[in-house]
Amino acid sequence: MSTTGKQLRVGMVGYAFMGAAHSQAWRTVNRVYDLPARARMSLICGRDSGKVAEAADRLGWEAYTTDWRDLVSRDDIDVVDVCTPGDSHAEIALAALAAGKHVLCEKPLANTVQEAREMAAAAATAQAAGVRSMCGFNYRRVPAVTMMRQLVADGRLGVIRHVRAVYLQDWIVDPQFPLVWRLQKDRAGSGALGDIGAHIIDLTQYVTGQRITGVSAVTETFVKERPLPAESSGLAATANGADGQVADGAAPATGPVTVDDAALFVARLDGGALATYEASRFATGRKNALRVEINGSLGSVVFDLERLNELEFYDATRPTAEQGFSRILVTEGEHPYMSAWWPPGHIIGYEHSFTHQMRDFIEAIATGADPAPSFADALQVQLVLDAVARSAETSSSWTEVEPALTAVPA
């Protein structure tokens, strides 16, 4: 597909949490980076006409529609950005690829391995016609994470031996928090495992260049019934009545939680490293705590999302008297992505990872390159999620990850 007039006309499906994050990035990317094509925020889609109209005005979209099929079929849309719950990813993305649109799809790619395989196959077919696709694992685009990968690739850590990754939240600790879509398997696919576990699976494979080959896992659902929501917006909602109240004498209506609240697993990577992973939305006091540590024969490196602009680096090749973890402030112009932002020492935030994501996607489309992570890369993450779920269902039995028949994540 050509970039008509060096302009990419974007249509986005969804306007809640991720829709807002993606909108901010589409608004910003051409104001920060000099790119071979400009993003134009042409059309946003949502089911509620009043809400999507308000979102279009607030988020900066030129027009809106309530039918994603209309968005996908339009000749004046070049890119389809999928920011919906996981149960609709496959249908929307497959239709968009068939219509010759470039596709950016939020993670996890799909709710099932079968859907993810279909999406990866469709993306490969579309790629032959010049149509590009990418999955939105935004934490790859944090400059400190990209630098972490460079340190590993440059051999600064030597042979990788241990990987430790945790992603901890607490937004559903209260048993009265309502049964939003993220707590329903038919909508979300899985719970903490797919929602935040997918991030640390992709991030560690990206940083190390190694693939998870087998797992032993345990999952748990701590609160098995929750009040039905009056408003379902994912990370914020009210229960039952609009004010969270029910009529006098009436019991609050409830429904079953059908996903995991927490998932823990050990893993082997194909380069020989041992790894541990923990994903929980019941870690009281932890709001969005993602931490990854890589230990190698020559050093170690640590990333903590709550200190997003920093890395901790241990260089075991230095004289013993000089060894110790050092703090690297990743804000210099030569650090990944940082040349477009502020003077050294001036930090960036969470939202910048999405701007970097759009930068890379636009550049790939305009130059005919293959963006990463591809749908094939995202399929491999889906296969790990599936292996974890199967292991947990069989008393933590050692479970091999099915082959994706694709390369290690680029």
Side-chain angles (χ1 to χ4, degrees):
M1 177 182 289
S2 64
T3 54
T4 306
K6 293 190 176 181
Q7 185 178 84
L8 286 171
R9 298 159 297 184
V10 181
M12 188 176 75
V13 188
Y15 55 83
F17 173 28
M18 276 299 103
H22 282 222
S23 296
Q24 191 277 340
W26 289 120
R27 286 196 309 271
T28 304
V29 64
N30 288 119
R31 295 176 171 84
V32 176
Y33 291 101
D34 183 15
L35 295 171
R38 294 189 62 81
R40 176 176 174 179
M41 298 171 65
S42 297
L43 188 65
I44 187 172
C45 178
R47 290 175 296 181
D48 184 302
S49 60
K51 290 181 179 179
V52 74
E54 186 276 332
D57 180 65
R58 173 170 49 87
L59 299 175
W61 294 87
E62 295 176 7
Y64 67 89
T65 179
T66 57
D67 185 354
W68 67 261
R69 293 173 181 82
D70 168 58
L71 181 150
V72 165
S73 65
R74 286 175 54 156
D75 292 335
D76 59 349
I77 296 297
D78 304 306
V79 175
V80 174
D81 185 358
V82 183
C83 293
T84 58
D87 60 329
S88 59
H89 284 187
E91 186 178 16
I92 298 171
L94 289 171
L97 289 169
K101 315 298 185 185
H102 306 291
V103 177
L104 173 63
C105 183
E106 257 304 321
K107 47 60 55 187
L109 186 63
N111 276 4
T112 68
V113 167
Q114 180 58 37
E115 287 179 342
R117 286 193 185 279
E118 292 174 6
M119 295 169 74
T125 299
Q127 179 184 5
V131 176
R132 308 297 168 182
S133 54
M134 189 172 83
C135 190
F137 284 102
N138 65 294
Y139 291 130
R140 287 187 176 210
R141 267 73 186 196
V142 174
V145 169
T146 306
M147 183 178 175
M148 192 181 193
R149 172 181 164 90
Q150 290 178 0
L151 288 171
V152 173
D154 290 345
R156 299 293 300 278
L157 270 63
V159 178
I160 304 303
R161 292 171 173 162
H162 294 289
V163 174
R164 299 181 187 88
V166 299
Y167 200 162
L168 309 175
Q169 299 176 343
D170 73 351
W171 58 278
I172 54 174
V173 166
D174 183 355
Q176 294 306 306
F177 189 89
L179 188 68
V180 296
W181 69 265
R182 291 179 187 269
L183 305 180
Q184 301 171 41
K185 185 176 178 64
D186 61 337
R187 301 291 309 283
S190 64
L193 175 60
D195 184 17
I196 55 180
H199 271 302
I200 52 178
I201 291 168
D202 179 74
L203 191 153
T204 54
Q205 293 188 135
Y206 168 70
V207 167
T208 63
Q210 298 184 26
R211 174 180 298 171
I212 296 171
T213 59
V215 301
S216 175
V218 61
T219 61
E220 183 59 66
T221 302
F222 299 113
V223 176
K224 295 177 172 57
E225 290 274 336
R226 288 185 177 274
L228 298 179
E231 300 270 342
S232 178
S233 58
L235 301 181
T238 57
N240 289 293
D243 58 359
Q245 304 298 314
V246 296
D248 289 343
T254 64
V257 176
T258 52
V259 300
D260 58 280
D261 289 330
L264 291 78
F265 63 98
V266 296
R268 283 191 179 275
L269 278 66
D270 61 6
L274 299 179
T276 63
Y277 294 83
E278 180 181 358
S280 177
R281 301 189 294 207
F282 265 74
T284 305
R286 299 297 184 185
K287 304 306 175 184
N288 199 40
L290 185 161
R291 182 179 172 88
V292 170
E293 179 171 334
I294 312 293
N295 304 135
S297 59
L298 300 179
S300 295
V301 65
V302 183
F303 170 73
D304 186 338
L305 183 62
E306 293 181 348
R307 295 162 58 192
L308 178 147
N309 292 270
E310 302 176 24
L311 284 178
E312 295 178 68
F313 178 52
Y314 185 97
D315 185 354
T317 68
R318 296 188 62 79
T320 303
E322 300 176 8
Q323 289 179 10
F325 275 96
S326 60
R327 170 179 173 265
I328 302 173
L329 186 62
V330 188
T331 60
E332 298 290 330
E334 58 263 41
H335 285 140
Y337 299 106
M338 291 303 299
S339 61
W341 295 107
W342 319 121
H346 291 71
I347 61 175
I348 62 171
Y350 170 77
E351 71 276 13
H352 293 76
S353 65
F354 293 96
T355 304
H356 302 158
Q357 177 174 270
M358 302 323 182
R359 188 207 80 161
D360 290 349
F361 192 44
I362 291 170
E363 200 162 64
I365 292 171
T367 61
D370 294 326
S374 66
F375 279 17
D377 298 329
L379 165 61
Q380 199 278 330
V381 173
Q382 200 84 39
L383 290 164
V384 176
L385 297 175
D386 179 69
V388 171
R390 288 188 287 118
S391 175
E393 290 169 356
T394 54
S395 302
S396 306
S397 63
W398 186 258
T399 304
E400 300 292 332
V401 176
E402 292 181 9
L405 304 178
T406 59
V408 172

